[in-house]
């Protein structure tokens, strides 16, 4: 890949995106090391299989030896001791998005972006493109059904682009698909207009002659798409959605079948909530390979979507105990919670749903308090947990605020810690129920503990 570094150390290496980047670099011929906390994450197994054993903790002594560069998760500020030490030693220092930005200057780079939906759409695009290979894909999870074989010399990159702190503006982008634009990250964006401004600047920065594909059904995405069509006439700008005025409209047929207008292609989708992600991924993968929407190519790729089995942490099935089905889901924004619970109602219409929800960031929870309360009433039973300790320095001042709203709206209790959450769940769960650990914290570990409790 002509990288200027051969020995790279990653701080926060267990994070989903960071771990995937570590594997890409290791398989690309780099010597890779890293460190993280002692918590177990789903990435641990893949790192171990590649011979990468993370150091525990963030002590500067971990960085002894020869390193050409240090990459750190954006969750860790530059004041973190090990990063201060790297700077003192003169080792080139990159945040995770800064390093991806460097990679984007070396090969054509395509992004899935949006307030939500980008991880699933990235994964679906990866699944569609995977049989032919020849690229590096980095996003916030990993496919459930494929063991990656990483190419040392990729011809292009497929990245998930996050709007937080305008990270996606760093990339040299050839083309992108946009799923949604809503208010989020209140610790950075002042209001929805501020979020819109960030996405508009992203459109402004796409390479001349590139493309921009957008969801025409979601108001924010549609507004940004119309901005792209009005201001970037040099781009291939395409809309898709159930809105029949879209460039690629979706028409529901019988059962689980959906017809895509213009090219007369059928998609078979388990739940209607995922149709937009499916079509967004199909359009993205087609344009990446064909440089345009080639109907023949699109029809060839479409059947592969039927074999997409999901990604880690996105309504991932974890197991069954005594007739109870356990799932883990990363949903941490009200709109994501609504979609996840709606999907589970569609798949399991006769089952009661117990959700153990861990809010992620105090600023988001309080800025969207009413929206969270409304979204979470979609569960039959709810156990609220303390706000996940964030590295964003937004301390929780009223941990019971969400509970105070919800306790009068639904069957809701509050658990002070993991042990109490497990005890409450075990007292309430019944045969035939669904149990979902939900949130952007490390609730996956809680799910595993619950499963072990039945053995």
């Amino acid at each position: 890949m002509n990288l200027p570094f051969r020995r790279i150390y990653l701080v926060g290496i267990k994070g989903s995106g960071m771990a995937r980047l570590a594997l890409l670099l290791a398989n690309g011929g780099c010597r890779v090391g890293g460190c993280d906390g002692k918590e177990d994450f789903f990435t641990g197994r893949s790192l171990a299989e590649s011979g990468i054993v993370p150091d525990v903790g963030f002590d500067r002594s971990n960085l002894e030896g020869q390193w050409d560069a240090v990459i750190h998760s954006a969750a860790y500020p530059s004041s973190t001791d090990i990063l201060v030490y790297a700077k003192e030693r003169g080792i080139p220092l990159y945040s995770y998005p800064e390093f991806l930005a460097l990679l984007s200057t070396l090969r054509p780079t395509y992004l899935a972006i949006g307030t939500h939906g980008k991880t699933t759409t990235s994964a679906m695009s990866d699944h569609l493109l995977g049989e032919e290979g020849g690229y590096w894909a980095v996003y916030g999870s990993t496919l459930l059904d494929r063991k990656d074989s990483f190419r040392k010399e990729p011809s292009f990159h497929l990245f998930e682009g996050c709007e937080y702190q305008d990270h996606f503006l760093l990339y040299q982008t050839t083309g992108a698909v946009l799923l949604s634009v809503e208010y989020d990250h209140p610790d950075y964006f002042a209001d929805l207009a501020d979020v819109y401004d960030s996405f508009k600047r992203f459109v402004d920065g796409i390479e001349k002659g590139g493309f921009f594909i957008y969801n025409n059904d979601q108001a924010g995405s549609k507004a940004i798409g119309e901005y792209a069509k009005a201001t970037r006439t040099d781009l291939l700008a395409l809309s898709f959605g159930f809105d029949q005025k879209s460039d690629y409209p979706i028409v529901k047929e019988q059962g689980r079948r959906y017809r895509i207008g213009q090219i007369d292609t059928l998609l078979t989708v388990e739940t209607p909530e995922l149709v937009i992600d499916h079509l967004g991924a199909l359009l993205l993968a087609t344009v990446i390979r064909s440089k345009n929407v080639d109907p023949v190519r699109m029809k060839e790729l479409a059947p592969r979507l039927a074999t997409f089995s999901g990604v880690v942490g996105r309504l991932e099935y974890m197991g069954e105990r005594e007739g109870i089905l356990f799932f883990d889901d990363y949903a941490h924004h009200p709109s994501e919670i609504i979609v996840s619970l709606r999907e589970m109602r569609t798949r399991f219409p006769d089952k009661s749903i117990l959700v153990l929800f861990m809010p992620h960031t105090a600023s988001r929870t309080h800025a969207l308090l009413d929206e969270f309360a409304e979204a979470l009433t979609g569960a039959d039973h709810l156990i609220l947990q303390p706000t996940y300790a964030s590295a964003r320095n937004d301390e929780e001042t009223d941990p019971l605020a969400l509970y105070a709203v919800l306790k009068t709206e639904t069957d809701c209790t509050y658990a002070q810690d993991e042990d109490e959450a497990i005890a409450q769940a075990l007292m309430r769960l019944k045969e035939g129920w669904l149990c979902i650990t939900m949130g952007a914290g490390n609730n996956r570990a809680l799910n595993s503990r619950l499963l072990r409790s039945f053995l």
Side-chain angles (χ1 to χ4, degrees):
M1 257 278 280
N2 299 319
L3 280 174
F5 316 115
R6 307 309 299 170
R7 296 163 297 191
I8 302 177
Y9 194 90
L10 291 88
V11 176
I13 194 171
K14 293 181 183 178
S16 53
M18 288 283 285
R20 189 168 181 83
L21 178 59
L23 297 177
L24 287 166
L25 294 170
N27 283 273
C30 295
R31 178 167 74 86
V32 173
C35 64
D36 215 315
K38 63 181 181 180
E39 289 180 289
D40 291 329
F41 285 87
F42 73 89
T43 56
R45 181 175 178 180
S46 58
L47 289 171
E49 289 175 349
S50 293
I52 301 172
V53 181
D55 297 320
V56 177
F58 302 91
D59 191 89
R60 57 175 54 199
S61 63
N62 294 339
L63 204 55
E64 296 297 342
Q66 295 298 314
W67 299 102
D68 300 325
V70 171
I71 305 169
H72 65 94
S73 163
Y76 297 97
S78 57
S79 58
T80 304
D81 190 48
I82 193 170
L83 303 182
V84 171
Y85 183 52
K87 189 174 183 179
E88 290 174 354
R89 289 184 55 188
I91 302 173
L93 192 61
Y94 296 87
S95 69
Y96 169 74
E98 287 171 344
F99 195 80
L100 292 188
L102 172 64
L103 293 180
S104 76
T105 66
L106 304 178
R107 297 288 187 272
T109 297
Y110 307 98
L111 302 184
I113 63 172
T115 309
H116 36 265
K118 52 187 177 287
T119 300
T120 299
T121 301
S122 297
M124 286 181 176
S125 301
D126 186 20
H127 175 75
L128 290 171
L129 295 164
E131 290 188 14
E132 297 165 60
Y135 63 95
W136 280 10
V138 182
Y139 47 92
S141 190
T142 187
L143 291 167
L144 288 171
D145 61 350
R146 193 180 84 208
K147 184 175 178 59
D148 289 297
S149 56
F150 299 107
R151 187 181 177 92
K152 291 187 177 182
E153 290 296 329
S155 59
F156 65 88
H157 300 132
L158 170 64
F159 293 159
E160 175 181 341
C162 183
E163 73 277 9
Y164 181 58
Q165 295 184 338
D166 293 329
H167 288 154
F168 63 177
L169 301 185
L170 299 173
Y171 305 146
Q172 187 169 305
T173 304
T174 305
V177 61
L178 171 64
L179 286 308
S180 62
V181 181
E182 293 190 73
Y183 185 51
D184 197 8
H185 308 298
D187 58 320
Y188 183 73
F189 295 116
D191 50 30
L192 182 58
D194 203 13
V195 178
Y196 273 39
D197 181 64
S198 181
F199 279 90
K200 286 178 180 178
R201 284 185 285 145
F202 175 85
V203 169
D204 294 341
I206 298 175
E207 291 180 351
K208 186 176 181 179
F211 65 85
F212 188 70
I213 302 166
Y214 64 95
N215 173 12
N216 209 33
D217 291 342
Q218 200 274 328
S221 174
K222 182 176 183 177
I224 301 302
E226 290 176 346
Y227 172 82
K229 285 190 171 182
T231 63
R232 292 297 308 272
T233 56
D234 60 304
L235 298 180
L236 173 65
L238 302 170
S239 62
F240 66 96
F242 285 95
D243 183 338
Q244 295 305 295
K245 294 181 181 178
S246 304
D247 296 311
Y248 290 88
I250 304 168
V251 179
K252 189 178 188 316
E253 297 202 338
Q254 289 185 338
R256 298 178 291 121
R257 300 201 308 171
Y258 299 83
R259 184 171 298 279
I260 310 306
Q262 299 284 359
I263 55 172
D264 197 30
T265 294
L266 275 176
L267 297 180
T268 301
V269 182
E270 186 69 29
T271 58
E273 289 75 22
L274 292 178
V275 178
I276 290 295
D277 293 342
H278 276 68
L279 182 52
L282 182 58
L283 285 165
L284 177 62
T286 302
V287 179
I288 287 174
R289 289 297 192 191
S290 305
K291 310 308 177 188
N292 208 322
V293 183
D294 178 354
V296 175
R297 182 67 168 174
M298 200 165 178
K299 287 185 177 183
E300 289 175 351
L301 287 174
R304 295 185 192 175
L305 284 168
T307 62
F308 176 74
S309 62
V311 290
V312 172
R314 296 325 189 261
L315 284 178
E316 179 187 358
Y317 174 65
M318 303 294 287
E320 180 179 354
R321 296 288 188 275
E322 298 182 9
I324 304 163
L325 303 181
F326 289 82
F327 293 83
D328 181 56
D329 190 52
Y330 193 73
H332 56 285
H333 183 279
S335 293
E336 294 170 340
I337 294 168
I338 290 170
V339 169
S340 291
L341 293 178
R342 190 180 294 156
E343 179 180 346
M344 297 307 272
R345 292 289 184 199
T346 302
R347 291 169 59 184
F348 305 98
D350 300 323
K351 292 185 179 293
S352 291
I353 299 176
L354 169 68
V355 170
L356 295 96
F357 181 68
M358 179 180 286
H360 180 252
T361 77
S363 56
R364 176 189 285 121
T365 304
H366 292 285
L368 302 174
L369 192 69
D370 291 340
E371 291 87 345
F372 272 112
E374 183 177 357
L376 288 165
T377 56
D380 299 300
H381 315 277
L382 184 65
I383 299 172
L384 280 180
Q385 301 166 255
T387 306
Y388 184 70
S390 171
R392 298 184 186 183
N393 295 319
D394 60 349
E395 295 183 7
E396 178 63 86
T397 56
D398 187 2
L400 295 178
L402 183 57
Y403 172 64
V405 178
L406 279 164
K407 66 180 181 179
T408 61
E409 301 293 330
T410 188
D411 175 21
C412 178
T413 58
Y414 184 82
Q416 296 282 354
D417 53 35
E418 281 195 3
D419 289 341
E420 187 176 343
I422 289 172
Q424 290 188 19
L426 292 176
M427 284 192 298
R428 299 167 76 183
L429 284 168
K430 298 178 182 179
E431 182 179 354
W433 284 22
L434 304 179
C435 179
I436 308 173
T437 47
M438 184 176 286
N442 193 23
N443 253 15
R444 185 183 184 84
L446 188 68
N447 201 308
S448 299
R449 285 186 62 186
L450 276 167
L451 285 167
R452 290 196 299 271
S453 298
F454 285 88
L455 297 178

